Amino acid sequence: MIQIEHLHKTYRSGFLMKPKLALKDVSFHVEPGQIYGFIGPNGAGKSTTIKVLTGLLNFDSGKVLVNGISPRDVKSRRFIGYSPEQPYFYDYLTGRELLQFYGKLVGLEGNLLNERITWALQLLHADKDWIDRRLRSYSKGMMQRVGIAQAILGKPKLLILDEPMSGLDPMGRRDVREAILELNRDGVTIFYSSHLLSDVESISHRVAMIVDGRIVREGTVDEITDSCGIEYHVRTREAIAVKDLPEGVVLAGHPQEVICADDVARDRLLRYCLDNSIAVERMEHKRPSLEDVLTEEIARADA
Amino acid sequence: MQTLKHIGIIALNTFRESIRDKILYNIGLLAVGLALFSIVLGEWSVFDRAYVIKSTTLSVMSLSGLLISIFVGISLVQKEIQRRTVLTLLSKPISRATFIVGKYLGLLAVVAVHLALLTCIYYSILFLTNSEPTVSLLTAIYLIFWELAVVIAVALLFSSFSSTTLSALFTLGVYFAGHLSDQLLEQVRFVNKMREVSDSSAALLEKLAVVIHAVFPGLYRYNVTSYVVHGLALPDMYLFWNTVYAIGYVGVFLAIASWWFSRRDFL
């Protein structure tokens, strides 16, 4: 559905048009039917990549295809629904008028248009009175829902959402998460960026992590977190002296708790405990979170 | 077919946006006030009352239309970019040329409605003051419309790549150059004929005046107030050729604006 290979994008800014490389050799694929999370710190290149996909930005080099068509071709946008980060709309229109406007642009009219608007609003729990008020009176959360609603009106094959959860309260986040899952069950491919890594972990089939314009990790959440190493937190009935700790095992915050860096260290510790008749009370398999991996990657990029 | 439909949808939205804009009402009220003031001017003036009312109201129509064309025209594209509404709009299956043409037609419709309303007021004033309301006056209004059609295209062209202030200045520049290019060429040729400058300077000056005359749209063609107010006939096919001329310029300006706009990045 999305194919990006060796994408480079440079911005030029200031009086001297100083170049700044925003995307450096970005490559990844999104298969049809996937929910694909795109994560990274602010300014890493998430929105830039999304805007290249939606044809809003030109790019220097590389290959970008959306459903087999270059985003430079208007036809590629027939398959796309897009909601920008912090969507802004014509504030002189009501929410419903806005949806009618965008609906017409994707070829809907008459009863079908009204049915789609009702469907989209219900899916996002936005079928409330405020939809007939002027947009200038909307909160960020209402705007976000209308933004996503306009993106799904045309029943796109690919839904691209830039920070769809930002500005939403916990209920709103849940509604959007559920809407994403339901659309995906209907066969819509979802590509979205988010800062809320817990949400990304819970709903994404695959994730790409971008730091400083480069893709630093790509894969399923498990693949990404596993690649960062698995730790074992072991609690013993009695404390083990530091000098006796096997290689790869360190003390944790508690005197009876130790951390094994990997499987080998875990086995060494268990053998030591067996040999010395030390009972193991609890052993936890600790996988780093996406946040841990991202923090590590940011630190590596800064270094 | 789909493109025409998209142009219509964008034009309609632009029309709706513009008629909800306060600046339009301010200019409209000013125009109505000035048109009514022409009655007072007609009474005070030493000239023929009908002549003063007719020429003043036509000038008011032209001026108020110009203000709308420039101030609303330059903000049409810039507002979309600054408010970032362009991001959602251009992510739909519409080309950037469709966007530009839709915006253009939307504002053109606003100007047409503005002129139509002022025409009603204009004729009411002429009837009320017994100032010989003739159908030929519509000729002047028709040409004002085409003049403004060119001005809107110029405003859109500049606003597709420069700031609002610069776009306003550039558009005003083209407006004045377009109105004065004919006189400039005439003056230069007259001076050259009188041999008041050296040959090389004369040739250079004339070349410059010819270039200005050729490049800038000849907006002076659309000012026929003195003809219609005095009841003089315009040359044959004058309206037809000047309509074609305006459409030609509008086409070129919109094509350049679309080309430029399609190269732009939207952050």
Side-chain angles (χ1 to χ4, degrees):
Chain A
M1 185 58 74
I2 294 176
Q3 199 183 341
I4 296 184
E5 280 165 23
H6 309 296
L7 172 64
H8 287 82
K9 168 70 187 168
T10 310
Y11 287 124
R12 291 182 183 277
S13 60
F15 184 70
L16 297 171
M17 300 299 274
K18 207 176 154 193
K20 182 190 178 290
L21 202 54
L23 297 177
K24 302 158 194 167
D25 199 25
V26 168
S27 299
F28 62 87
H29 290 195
V30 179
E31 298 301 326
Q34 283 183 339
I35 299 180
Y36 200 99
F38 197 39
I39 58 173
N42 287 337
K46 300 190 296 292
S47 293
T48 300
T49 309
I50 284 178
K51 284 176 183 166
V52 166
L53 285 171
T54 49
L56 293 165
L57 289 180
N58 296 300
F59 53 94
D60 308 339
S61 62
K63 183 177 167 189
V64 182
L65 294 176
V66 176
N67 208 23
I69 304 172
S70 165
R72 286 171 171 150
D73 188 338
V74 176
K75 284 184 207 140
S76 71
R77 298 199 275 285
R78 287 186 191 155
F79 314 101
I80 297 178
Y82 163 63
S83 178
E85 185 183 5
Q86 295 174 338
Y88 290 95
F89 299 116
Y90 307 102
D91 56 9
Y92 53 88
L93 297 178
T94 67
R96 193 178 299 280
E97 283 173 340
L98 185 92
L99 294 177
Q100 284 166 343
F101 170 65
Y102 286 123
K104 285 176 187 165
L105 285 177
V106 293
L108 302 172
E109 50 191 23
N111 283 342
L112 181 62
L113 174 61
N114 292 330
E115 280 168 21
R116 284 286 177 82
I117 291 174
T118 309
W119 164 77
L121 292 176
Q122 280 172 353
L123 186 71
L124 291 153
H125 299 273
D127 48 340
K128 310 269 167 58
D129 293 345
W130 52 260
I131 203 68
D132 290 307
R133 291 207 315 252
R134 292 262 171 103
L135 285 147
R136 62 173 63 105
S137 67
Y138 281 23
S139 67
K140 261 175 110 178
M142 292 170 178
M143 215 59 146
Q144 193 67 267
R145 285 171 201 250
V146 172
I148 300 172
Q150 63 78 27
I152 62 174
L153 277 180
K155 293 226 168 171
K157 283 185 181 175
L158 171 65
L159 182 60
I160 299 177
L161 306 171
D162 198 353
E163 298 288 348
M165 319 272 191
S166 81
L168 293 172
D169 57 17
M171 294 283 282
R173 275 170 58 189
R174 191 196 61 195
D175 291 345
V176 170
R177 210 167 40 230
E178 282 174 3
I180 288 176
L181 289 171
E182 191 167 332
L183 288 163
N184 183 248
R185 277 194 290 273
D186 289 344
V188 181
T189 308
I190 319 270
F191 180 76
Y192 74 107
S193 70
S194 183
H195 277 114
L196 299 162
L197 301 184
S198 56
D199 288 328
V200 177
E201 280 192 78
S202 66
I203 63 170
S204 306
H205 297 128
R206 286 185 85 81
V207 173
M209 193 177 280
I210 186 166
V211 176
D212 197 22
R214 288 180 204 280
I215 299 289
V216 289
R217 302 277 172 137
E218 203 277 335
T220 63
V221 173
D222 285 352
E223 283 168 0
I224 289 177
T225 51
D226 283 356
S227 67
C228 214
I230 302 165
E231 286 179 350
Y232 293 90
H233 286 228
V234 181
R235 178 96 173 205
T236 52
R237 188 158 292 162
E238 29 187 300
I240 304 172
V242 176
K243 66 178 177 53
D244 295 333
L245 286 174
E247 193 187 337
V249 181
V250 291
L251 262 183
H254 194 276
Q256 285 160 252
E257 195 163 315
V258 290
I259 299 171
C260 310
D262 50 32
D263 293 355
V264 178
R266 177 201 60 192
D267 292 348
R268 276 195 207 114
L269 177 75
L270 293 178
R271 193 164 300 119
Y272 175 84
C273 289
L274 273 173
D275 293 348
N276 295 281
S277 304
I278 297 171
V280 172
E281 282 190 339
R282 192 176 70 227
M283 184 163 71
E284 267 182 89
H285 178 203
K286 286 245 172 152
R287 185 194 293 275
S289 64
L290 273 181
E291 191 176 335
D292 297 330
V293 181
L294 182 60
T295 310
E296 192 184 303
E297 288 295 347
I298 293 170
R300 191 176 297 166
D302 287 346
Chain B
M1 193 62 196
Q2 193 70 12
T3 305
L4 287 179
K5 210 171 177 183
H6 286 156
I7 288 174
I9 296 165
I10 294 169
L12 188 67
N13 193 50
T14 306
F15 182 79
R16 189 153 48 177
E17 178 183 359
S18 303
I19 60 168
R20 291 181 187 180
D21 197 334
K22 278 180 195 159
I23 191 170
L24 186 73
Y25 292 99
N26 291 336
I27 295 171
L29 281 175
L30 180 73
V32 172
L34 286 173
L36 293 172
F37 185 65
S38 69
I39 304 171
V40 183
L41 270 183
E43 295 298 329
W44 288 350
S45 173
V46 291
F47 296 105
D48 174 38
R49 193 183 60 176
Y51 167 78
V52 173
I53 293 176
K54 283 175 186 173
S55 53
T56 310
T57 38
L58 280 175
S59 302
V60 168
M61 287 178 100
S62 178
L63 184 70
S64 59
L66 177 72
L67 290 176
I68 292 172
S69 304
I70 293 183
F71 290 110
V72 183
I74 53 166
S75 66
L76 276 182
V77 175
Q78 286 301 327
K79 245 199 246 173
E80 290 265 6
I81 296 169
Q82 281 162 9
R83 292 183 184 174
R84 306 177 77 206
T85 47
V86 75
L87 300 181
T88 328
L89 190 57
L90 292 180
S91 71
K92 303 292 177 207
I94 57 166
S95 68
R96 298 196 183 179
T98 302
F99 172 81
I100 291 286
V101 176
K103 285 271 154 197
Y104 173 78
L105 291 179
L107 183 53
L108 192 63
V110 172
V111 167
V113 170
H114 172 77
L115 289 182
L117 290 174
L118 282 186
T119 303
C120 296
I121 294 168
Y122 182 21
Y123 271 90
S124 307
I125 291 172
L126 293 177
F127 271 113
L128 288 172
T129 55
N130 282 328
S131 305
E132 306 153 32
T134 53
V135 182
S136 67
L137 293 170
L138 288 175
T139 313
I141 298 168
Y142 174 81
L143 287 171
I144 288 174
F145 170 77
W146 282 109
E147 177 190 10
L148 297 176
V150 176
V151 175
I152 296 170
V154 173
L156 260 178
L157 167 63
F158 288 125
S159 71
S160 69
F161 64 84
S162 65
S163 70
T164 338
T165 317
L166 280 179
S167 300
L169 289 173
F170 289 152
T171 311
L172 271 173
V174 171
Y175 177 81
F176 286 118
H179 269 281
L180 301 174
S181 63
D182 198 39
Q183 282 181 33
L184 178 74
L185 187 61
E186 242 174 59
Q187 293 295 322
V188 168
R189 281 183 176 154
F190 177 74
V191 170
N192 285 354
K193 217 173 178 181
M194 303 297 284
R195 301 230 177 246
E196 283 179 9
V197 284
S198 69
D199 284 348
S200 59
S201 310
L204 190 70
L205 260 179
E206 188 161 338
K207 268 183 193 164
L208 188 69
V210 167
V211 168
I212 290 173
H213 190 262
V215 171
F216 288 94
L219 297 177
Y220 56 86
R221 296 155 178 266
Y222 299 92
N223 183 5
V224 293
T225 306
S226 52
Y227 277 86
V228 295
V229 167
H230 291 112
L232 303 171
L234 287 168
D236 285 345
M237 303 291 280
Y238 191 85
L239 293 187
F240 174 77
W241 286 119
N242 283 299
T243 305
V244 172
Y245 181 84
I247 291 171
Y249 262 103
V250 167
V252 170
F253 289 148
L254 292 186
I256 299 172
S258 302
W259 173 76
W260 197 276
F261 199 62
S262 65
R263 290 162 46 97
R264 277 192 77 153
D265 276 349
F266 297 104
L267 304 178

